[in-house]
Amino acid sequence: MQDADMFLGFLHSLSEMGAAMKQVLTGALTNPQVYRNFTETDGENSRSRLSLLHSQDNYLSALQTLRCPSIPENFTNIPGLKQELKHTTLLEELMFWTVKFEFPQKIVFLLLSLLPDEYFKVCFIKAFVQHYSRSSIALVNSVDRSTIANKVVHISVQLFSNEKYSRDMVLEHNLLHIMVVSLKHMIGNVLTGSDMQDAENNFHVVADCGQEIMKDHCYWPIISDLINVLSHQSIAHIFMDNKSLIELWMELISHFQGMNLNQRELTQHVEYEPGTYYAAFSAELEICASPMWSMVGHLKNEASRKLSRDVLSVILDEVESWFDAINLRGAFKVPQLSRSLLISFKPNPMQVSFHIPLHRYLAIFLSNAVRVQGLQLKELLPKEESLKLIMMHPLQLQVACCEIFCGLWVRNGLQIKGQAMTYIQCHFCNSLVDADMYLLQVCACGLDPTYFLHTVIERFHIQDWLTLSPIHHNPYLEAEKEPAMVEGMLSFLTTLLTTRLHTGMDDKETTRKEMVALLCVADRTHSQLMDLMPEKCGLTGQTKDFEATLKEVADYKAPTFEAGGELQQGMYVPKDFIWEEEFDPVFVSLRAVQRKDLQAAMDRYTKYIQQVGKYNEKQSPWPPFRPLGQVTEQYQGLRRLLHCKTFHGMIFSVLYKAVYEPQMSETIIYLCVYLLEMAVTTPATAGTDREIVVPKQVHDKLFKEWFPSNNIQQNLRHKIQQVLVSRETTHSQPVIIDLDTESLSEMFELAPSAVASTQGIITSGLHASALTGAASVQQGQGQHQGQGYSTGQNEGQGASSPHHKVTGQSDGSSGGTRPKYQSRGVATDFSSGRHSVIDINESLISLLIKLHNKLSGKPGSYVPEILRSTTMASVTSDQPSSESRIGNGPHFIGQLLDRIARINMDNARIVEEVYRLLQPQKTKETSAGPSAAQGVVDKEEKRRKARERQAKLMADFASKQRAFMEQAMELNDEEDSEDAGMEQTLPVVVKEYDCVICNQTTPSTPDRPVGMVALLQATSVLGHRRQVEEVRTMPTSEEEMRQVRESTNCGQVQAQRLRKMVTYFEESSCLQSMNIGWEGGVAAQTCGHYLHIDCHGSYMESVIQDRNLAHGLVVYKGEYWCPLCRQLANAVFPVLPDVGNVSVTRPVPSHPQQLVHRVAELLEHRHITGGSSEITHAMSAAMDNITNGTYAEYKNLTKSQIPESMQCFVCSVARCNLELELLQRGGSLCGQQGAAAAMTKRSAFLPLFHVLSLHSKILTLKPYTDLWQQVSGISQDSNTTSVTVYQKDVPLLLKDVTAILIQFMLNMPTALEKEYFTCLVQALYNLVCIQALAVTSCKFPEDERTAWKEKGTGVSVDSLEGLLSTIITHLGLGRLYEDVEMDTQIPAICQSVWSPQTVESSVQDFCFPFLRLAALLQCHLFHDKLPHRIDSDNEYQALCQFLGLVHGETPRTPSCGSRFVTTSALKWYCENPRSLLRGWCRAFNDFVSTEPCVGRYFLLVNPTWFSPRLLSLPREYDKIFQYYRKKPCHTCTRVPKEPAVCLICGQFLCFKESCCRQDQIHECVQHSIHCGAGTGLFLSVNSSVIVVVRGPRATLWGSVYLDEYGEEDRELKRGKPLYLSNERYKILEQQWITHSFDHTCKRWIFHQDRL
């Protein structure tokens, strides 16, 4: 092919030249004459002739190597299956070489490009069909099977989709025969002998799923083509009308019958678990089920009845042949069992195969013929003998599934459970379990119900469990496995009787049933429902009623966000009426892949009925089984199971055990009651009322002898008196002991009479008459007397009834007084007879009433309906109030008894008689004499006495306890009186902390300090604030991209201001005048837990040594998981030892000027908190963590390394955390929403502030006394009052006042009185107000400034007018106001006239940031609580009052209206404020005189910043996808394979590609550092998923774009339109602002700089 590559390229270029050249090519390829001209020789001896002969030799040799499949004998004469190939055109030979060279890509593309030519297409189809059988050989022999398979299907799907062409190929070239023969030949290569039943006499062969052909699905192209062809109705009818072809197909299907056989391991665990079972399920689904559904889909009316009959006839013949092949009719040996030989008709119980496709073909074609085509079921069923055989293997599958889930196949490994789960999985259930269940329903209709039930009981191996003998031996099952198998058998019968998928439900009802079952197990997304709905392979339009049904049964729940960080998608939840009317536990169990699914549905049901107040009992409710639905007339025979003596006897045996055995599975009880309810409520079929005489003694387990007829109405009241049980089962019955005794000593004594009367071995045992946790139930006594009823015990026996009484000959005991303890568990005579007699004396009605009493826990709990009106007051809680399906066991049993009583008067009379006889009686006088009457004691009386004894015991205990407490209180009073004089000298309570490592509660001490768990992370959230509230939009056009790039944010503005300020002032002064950290700041968070510093050190050592503890951590950066809450942390902030009320300063002066001097002294001395080396070391370690918490480029924005740069960084960390807290409060301190959010989050600010304070004092080289002197206006030197500054220092009017406050507080003592803080705030508030007025004055026009200047002349500076006039006067002496209107750097003036209200508003807006941060600082340092319910209009006043700037009533001037007056909070510490203001303005004027424009730029700073926002996204995701999927990268100019967009700034990036990496760091990681200081939010364009990068980690956050059903479409695989979820996007934005990704996202990976 490499030699022909250039030639094929040349042909491709010709094909691309247009239609004319394509016509030339197709003509040459399809013209036979052209082919002959190329292949015939002219007889001349020339070089061309020799070359041609050589080519022909190669061609003929190649023909011999390309074999065709082996052909069955009866198909040898069919054209298209011949061994020889004869080519007549170039196209045919080209097709040959295509197959020979395994479908080269260029040849395939060339041929497909010529398909628009109709004549060529016909010729190409013929050539493809001619070589089709050879293609199957190539599929098997090729190395790259999947590639060839895709190419073959790529060709065939375009050829066989046309019905006309496909039909012509079928009729003229036998396409169907070719496909079936090819497939049969392929499967024939992997056949192996079957070991089913008897391996020695089994001559059946099955497909070996361990072969590569099966594992690699080599058959898939042929099956795909066959399904494609059978999708055409005419071809499907041709296929089914050809008997020989359908026989060949069924023969092929028989090779999958019994494949992947499992042999139960009994001794040891299987050494190697095969992994071939899924290949077997796939093969049956694709090869067998898919064509089956395609064929059945075309049998839609009566016209195709003949086809159904013919196919069914062939299926039955093949099934019979299979029975013979596996020797089912013969005998076989089972060496694992004690029985060496089993008779015929029964599969080997130690084997199971989940694959019986012939049975399923029979079931599906039979169902379709009856339901759709109107054929009669009886006409289609085989003979009874064959039907018995057909029943066996589907039944064995149900038994095997029960055994697997019960753990009987546990030694076969997990794969056997995987097979059982796959068997009922949604994609397989329609073709597997549903077909098997329907076939069993058909068998139940066609077979004798007694035989059917007997077979079911036998195959489930529970016939021994159903015995009424107290002791039985099951040779197949262990005792603990028997209840689970009984549950499985009863569950199987309920499913068989209630499932109507094929017997009475249409497609719409089926869709509704399936959907309700899915929704009851769990809330589902739309795609989950679509995917989990059972499907019929090969059929389309299965979900045509899906949307309408979904709206009827479910409500849509919009996507939500859980507190744990989990994103929830849009879910559908069942409507309320579904739980009460349509929740079907039986159908849910049928569809439950895992048994926990049914329990989940029951838990949801229980939660619902409790929420709506319809169930308040303590016991769990019973499943709300639904009444039997209607089935079609042809399946009425299924109801015969309910009216069968064997069925009634089985129910009797189960109920008898439920009443008398100490423990019984509640599942067994409610399934049994439900089955009996179905029998009672279902009308009996004709012929069930024939009555026979039942003897007094009936044989155990021979249920057909127990009742007089099949009529349930009569059998309900029939009393079974005695049962004959095999003597070998009664030799070791337990001794029954009366528990109602006065003392424990009596309970464990055996009366001498009991020992003397026992003639066998006495075994100990206790009998309880209730389920676990239920109370004992009193049983009555008496004998059967005509139609009357007694309670079932012989005279002389007490109220406590034994399980049963075994009698043979007389036991020799007298009829007098019964001994208190008596052994009634041993047969009394072994000398004669093979059976023992057990007295029963019960009916179904009496058992139901006793079971009601037992489950309710009190005797007489059920009151007959006819008597209920008079006794309702005392028994209302236990009576069924209605036909509601909500309730516990007594509720449903009561309903059943009510129905039974309504059937006829005889039943009602029997119910009333049993009720009266079971009523508890205090005395009962009988002919047995006074001793017998004395022995009958009312159980309620005994319980009352027991309660009285218990109450007396508790009273004695309480009295002793009171005496002890009184004595202890007297001792405490004495101690209190002795220590009364010491109360006034008690020390202040020191706060203690719980260490989460050592669990000790201790205070933080200098010797052993305590630290707070903290997480430090770099942040640029503050830097992305903007001064306009408008949100930027993600660009989807070049113009929008340009606008996004030109926008500025807080970080850019502050960085530019610092760089420009350094050029005009001293760098040290600049760094002390403002803060950095807007980009790359350090945010501190905490989970609120504490630990000892030394415990933390030991913990970190263990983390470093233990890889499990270090998993997911960057240990060298100090990361660890909080030992208690497992949140990420990387630092510990030491908690300073509590010093109580001790202050490091002298008493606070009362005079303001003395207070200012004291503040200066504190700033000068800078008291450094230390105390111990442990605390100092911990503080140093914490500071190192803070320093390493951000990237190097963000620590120092200037080039020089001076101490002030580190000091600026320290102060900026504190500023950053205050700003972040304010941001999380919503930007203000008013309202409750932001405050509540912040209060719920623990703060790490105070210990962080202490760490920063210590290092700030160390880093401060020059005290802040000069700065404080400038601010306060009071000189510390009595010889001078100057407040001027150096010319190179930043003027006060240009300094950031908040930064000054933080610097002052970091250098103050830790234990500081609040008065000093208030003094600092007051002085700085004066400064910020002057700054606000200066900025406001610059916004005035010239005439407005003149007016305000004249208006305030001579007015006190305590007023707004006087103060503003003074400022304008002093600043007017410089060049600040020169040409201010012409300066382009000054913001536009919004009004020409400024009223006092607007001036006041402007000043307050400027001062707000300072007041808010000062309030937060006071809140943290002094533990003050912020004012509650601050109104936004009164926030300024509330903050001033909180900070102590104003006291009492605040003045309001008429000129400012109701607004708080800013100047009312001013308080000057100097005697002449005007002199102070003149000094501030002079310093500023000195700078402005040389740089007026720069001065105005520095002064007119806007301190108001709006909350940062992510980019606004378009509603439709398609806009983003279409714009970015082919957009070239700005850096590398190539279209990225995985484009990504930053949601913070809108930058377009190459995701996970190395083209744009710098210093080995890929572009997205680099951008996360530049844009978010290590935090990046990127939208992956090709997947719609948000990728969050946090430092060295990354995670998939989820998608903010959902489809119309609220679901994500990650990787855009489903192709549905996606729309923006605003709720999710707000959550993402909130997590970004609050830095909570580390806590909410759980699945992180280390990206290694490769994103």
Side-chain angles (χ1 to χ4, degrees), residues 904-952:
N904 54 46
M905 295 302 297
D906 291 336
N907 288 347
R909 177 175 53 82
I910 298 301
V911 170
E912 184 178 349
E913 287 182 6
V914 175
Y915 163 73
R916 293 186 184 278
L917 290 172
L918 288 177
Q919 285 300 298
Q921 301 177 14
K922 294 183 180 179
T923 61
K924 185 174 182 181
E925 297 181 0
T926 65
S927 60
S931 60
Q934 186 178 2
V936 181
V937 181
D938 183 55
K939 184 175 292 185
E940 288 296 324
E941 183 67 19
K942 290 187 176 183
R943 290 179 177 174
R944 184 184 62 80
K945 292 180 179 179
R947 286 194 296 269
E948 290 178 355
R949 290 195 300 270
Q950 183 181 16
K952 182 179 179 180

Side-chain angles (χ1 to χ4, degrees), residues 1231-1330:
Q1232 291 296 310
Q1233 183 176 2
M1239 296 242 178
T1240 56
K1241 193 171 184 180
R1242 303 178 186 273
S1243 175
F1245 181 80
L1246 185 59
L1248 170 68
F1249 191 84
H1250 290 159
V1251 173
L1252 298 175
S1253 176
L1254 173 64
H1255 290 82
S1256 177
K1257 295 168 185 175
I1258 296 174
L1259 292 170
T1260 301
L1261 302 179
K1262 180 181 179 182
Y1264 286 96
T1265 52
D1266 291 344
L1267 180 59
W1268 172 241
Q1269 177 178 327
Q1270 297 176 33
V1271 172
S1272 62
I1274 296 180
S1275 175
Q1276 302 305 308
D1277 189 355
S1278 58
N1279 297 327
T1280 177
T1281 58
S1282 173
V1283 293
T1284 59
V1285 296
Y1286 296 106
Q1287 186 175 2
K1288 284 294 184 178
D1289 285 347
V1290 178
L1292 275 181
L1293 294 184
L1294 300 183
K1295 289 179 179 289
D1296 186 346
V1297 181
T1298 305
I1300 297 176
L1301 174 63
I1302 294 175
Q1303 291 172 23
F1304 283 164
M1305 289 306 301
L1306 287 177
N1307 283 269
M1308 298 293 279
T1310 303
L1312 183 71
E1313 286 77 4
K1314 186 178 176 181
E1315 289 80 0
Y1316 296 110
F1317 176 79
T1318 304
C1319 177
L1320 288 171
V1321 173
Q1322 180 66 71
L1324 293 174
Y1325 175 76
N1326 299 341
L1327 175 60
V1328 76
C1329 281
I1330 300 304

Side-chain angles (χ1 to χ4, degrees), residues 1341-1356:
E1342 182 63 31
D1343 55 347
E1344 187 73 19
R1345 272 196 300 274
T1346 303
W1348 277 94
K1349 178 180 178 181
E1350 294 175 353
K1351 183 179 180 180
T1353 302
V1355 180
S1356 171

Side-chain angles (χ1 to χ4, degrees), residues 507 511 515 529-531 533-535 539-549:
D507 291 341
T511 300
M515 190 175 296
L529 286 172
M530 290 285 290
D531 183 58
M533 286 291 288
E535 59 183 18
L539 295 185
T540 58
Q542 300 177 59
T543 57
K544 58 182 179 180
D545 301 319
F546 183 87
E547 297 297 340
T549 305

Side-chain angles (χ1 to χ4, degrees), residues 869-888:
S869 58
T870 59
T871 58
M872 185 59 68
S874 61
V875 294
T876 52
S877 61
D878 293 324
Q879 305 311 315
S881 58
S882 66
E883 295 299 319
S884 171
R885 305 303 293 176
I886 300 175
N888 54 11

Side-chain angles (χ1 to χ4, degrees), residues 754-762 809-812 823 826-830:
V755 178
S757 63
T758 302
Q759 298 186 15
I761 301 174
I762 299 178
Q809 304 296 326
S810 173
D811 60 0
S823 172
V826 182
T828 59
D829 186 9
F830 297 96

